[in-house]
Amino acid sequence: MVKPLEGLVVLEFSQFMAGPTAGLRLADLGARVIKIERPVKGEAGRQIAIRNIFVNGDSLVFHTINRNKESYAADLKNPDDLERVKKLIAQADVMTHNFRPGVMEKIGLDYETVQAINPKIIYGVVTGYGATGPWASRPGQDLLIQSLSGLTYLSDTQDAGPVPFGLAVADIMCGAHFVQGILAALIKRAKTQKSVLVEVSLLESVLDLQFEFLTTHLNDGEKLPQRSKIKGTGHPYLSAPYGIYRTADAYLALAMGNLHNIGKALGVDLSAFATRASWFDQRDEIMELIAAQLQTKTTAEWLAILEPLDIWCSQILSYAESLQHEAFTLMGIQQHVILPDGSQLNTTRCPIRIDHTRLYSSVAAPRPGVSTELINQQFNLTEA
């Protein structure tokens, strides 16, 4: 199939995760994404590893967010390399970067300068905390963003203190917002035939991720989220029975619903909790009653009782159990990319479908500068 963004040229000066995550999605949708990297070593994100796993000289993390891209080697402090990059910019549709405020101005690739080179460019910028303000020069790292945004007070129990997510939520959410902004800018450019500046920050993305919590906070006396004392509680602002419970052999998740109907199905007398307000105010007591009852049967037995009554519940699966489930197989979410040595790397595909078609790509993340000569030729960058 012809993918929606085929023919679009994106120059990715971004490194680490947020910007490259946006580039990954643009590439999945058909754009030609060219990473502008330092010669030999490439971008710093190549060395950021999870569990110290490296594949073909680069971190596994790098491979997960840089598949289906090309790499162009350029030393931006070298006048000749910079001149070639400017020629490339003149022919591109989009460029992105996540350098700290002031860096691109010093190099001579700030928005105003680039706009003069290419009056129709979409110029995308990712910062940690915005281009100005007291935090503008701070490192925009995921854990630091979580810590400064209030997010660490949403998980675990009341006495746990701040708890970070075990996922790069700031980077991933910011990458998603970045793609939205770039696509919106492309639509605007089609109408105006003029360049568009797109700016996102990690902090604003994580604050937006928490919009329901922040709205509650601002209208609830600005209190800290009221996490339950009961282990397994899933949400600081939702009433019982919302959470995860131990059963006779494993665990069971109970989501939202009419508490009295759920109590009846479980065989737990919850008549003392007559009002919906009590379902939140006394949720710890309610959850303890439910937890004691759930331990009397296995997860499968409870599912057989609850699911026919349309009570929202679920077994708890590990990664291994989830990936081996029929539902996972039917989604076709797993794919393979072919590494330079011919071996395969297992990963996941783009979650978007276009005209009922899943978007797969077997192209692995590039080695630093591997496409430099080809791009020089195709874009006539070395001609006088």
Side-chain angles (χ1 to χ4, degrees), residues 9-14 27 31-44 46 58 62-63 66-75 85 88 340 363-379 381:
V9 176
V10 179
L11 305 182
E12 183 176 277
F13 293 79
S14 300
R32 182 178 186 179
V33 179
I34 301 171
K35 295 184 68 67
I36 309 299
E37 303 190 80
R38 294 175 300 176
V40 184
K41 290 185 177 181
E43 67 134 298
R46 290 179 179 272
D58 296 312
F62 181 85
H63 280 278
N66 288 288
R67 67 168 186 265
N68 205 21
K69 299 178 184 178
E70 300 172 63
S71 175
Y72 185 86
D75 178 358
V85 167
L88 190 55
V363 181
R367 294 296 298 146
V370 69
S371 302
T372 303
E373 290 306 316
L374 175 64
I375 292 168
N376 280 337
Q377 294 172 15
Q378 290 180 336
F379 291 88
L381 304 183

Side-chain angles (χ1 to χ4, degrees), residues 1 3 21 24-25 27-29 63-65 67-68 323 327-337 345-354 356-363:
M1 68 172 291
K3 295 181 179 180
T21 298
L24 167 67
R25 198 60 65 228
D28 284 338
L29 291 169
H63 280 278
T64 63
I65 56 176
R67 67 168 186 265
N68 205 21
L323 300 185
F328 177 86
T329 303
L330 289 174
M331 286 181 180
I333 198 72
Q334 184 172 343
Q335 71 171 14
H336 308 286
V337 295
L345 177 68
N346 296 321
T347 186
T348 55
R349 66 166 172 83
C350 175
I352 301 169
R353 302 186 194 193
I354 302 294
H356 307 292
T357 302
R358 296 165 177 158
L359 304 179
Y360 291 99
S361 173
S362 63
V363 181

Side-chain angles (χ1 to χ4, degrees), residues 41-360:
K41 290 185 177 181
E43 67 134 298
R46 290 179 179 272
Q47 300 305 310
I48 302 298
I50 292 179
R51 291 194 61 216
N52 202 33
I53 300 176
F54 284 81
V55 177
N56 278 193
D58 296 312
S59 73
L60 190 60
V61 175
F62 181 85
H63 280 278
T64 63
I65 56 176
N66 288 288
R67 67 168 186 265
N68 205 21
K69 299 178 184 178
E70 300 172 63
S71 175
Y72 185 86
D75 178 358
L76 298 180
K77 295 180 181 179
N78 180 298
D80 292 335
D81 282 6
L82 183 59
E83 185 60 31
R84 281 189 286 270
V85 167
K86 288 181 177 180
K87 289 181 180 179
L88 190 55
I89 289 172
Q91 301 172 69
D93 297 285
V94 179
M95 68 172 283
T96 71
H97 79 80
N98 64 342
F99 293 113
R100 292 190 188 185
V103 171
M104 287 301 251
E105 286 79 1
K106 185 176 180 180
I107 294 172
L109 293 179
D110 54 281
Y111 177 52
E112 287 72 19
T113 303
V114 168
Q115 191 179 30
I117 297 170
N118 184 343
K120 295 184 180 180
I121 195 83
I122 305 300
Y123 188 98
V125 184
V126 179
T127 61
Y129 313 86
T132 60
W135 291 345
S137 62
R138 290 176 63 107
Q141 195 276 334
D142 198 278
L143 178 60
L144 306 185
I145 301 293
Q146 290 190 43
S147 301
L148 290 169
S149 68
L151 189 68
T152 57
Y153 282 99
L154 298 184
S155 299
D156 215 312
T157 55
Q158 190 179 96
D159 60 353
V163 178
F165 276 59
L167 184 70
V169 290
D171 288 312
I172 293 168
M173 283 305 304
C174 189
H177 290 154
F178 202 24
V179 171
Q180 293 170 20
I182 290 169
L183 294 178
L186 287 167
I187 294 172
K188 181 178 180 181
R189 185 185 70 175
K191 297 176 180 178
T192 66
Q193 296 300 305
K194 295 180 180 180
S195 65
V196 183
L197 173 65
V198 178
E199 298 173 284
V200 294
S201 76
L202 296 171
L203 182 58
E204 287 168 293
S205 287
V206 174
L207 292 173
D208 180 74
L209 173 65
Q210 301 174 83
F211 71 92
E212 60 175 316
F213 296 103
L214 291 174
T215 302
T216 303
H217 173 77
L218 293 170
N219 292 279
D220 187 38
E222 300 191 354
K223 305 171 187 173
L224 273 176
Q226 299 175 50
R227 292 179 292 178
S228 170
K229 295 179 181 178
I230 305 301
K231 187 173 179 61
T233 308
H235 198 295
Y237 290 124
L238 290 183
S239 305
Y242 198 92
I244 292 174
Y245 300 82
R246 186 178 288 277
T247 63
D249 67 335
Y251 294 90
L252 180 80
L254 283 175
M256 299 167 287
N258 184 288
L259 185 65
H260 294 148
N261 293 341
I262 293 170
K264 182 178 179 181
L266 294 175
V268 179
D269 182 9
L270 300 176
S271 59
F273 310 99
T275 66
R276 287 186 175 271
S278 69
W279 300 357
F280 182 80
D281 295 337
Q282 296 175 267
R283 62 179 171 170
D284 288 0
E285 183 179 348
I286 295 169
M287 292 182 71
E288 287 178 334
L289 292 172
I290 292 174
Q293 179 69 353
L294 285 173
Q295 292 186 48
T296 64
K297 298 181 187 296
T298 66
T299 296
E301 289 173 326
W302 282 121
L303 290 173
I305 294 170
L306 300 174
E307 288 184 332
L309 298 174
D310 199 27
I311 291 174
W312 294 359
C313 59
S314 175
Q315 64 194 119
I316 311 297
L317 299 181
S318 66
Y319 277 132
E321 292 168 329
S322 179
L323 300 185
Q324 293 168 11
H325 197 279
E326 179 187 8
F328 177 86
T329 303
L330 289 174
M331 286 181 180
I333 198 72
Q334 184 172 343
Q335 71 171 14
H336 308 286
V337 295
I338 309 301
L339 298 170
D341 63 3
S343 62
Q344 293 185 343
L345 177 68
N346 296 321
T347 186
T348 55
R349 66 166 172 83
C350 175
I352 301 169
R353 302 186 194 193
I354 302 294
D355 292 333
H356 307 292
T357 302
R358 296 165 177 158
L359 304 179
Y360 291 99

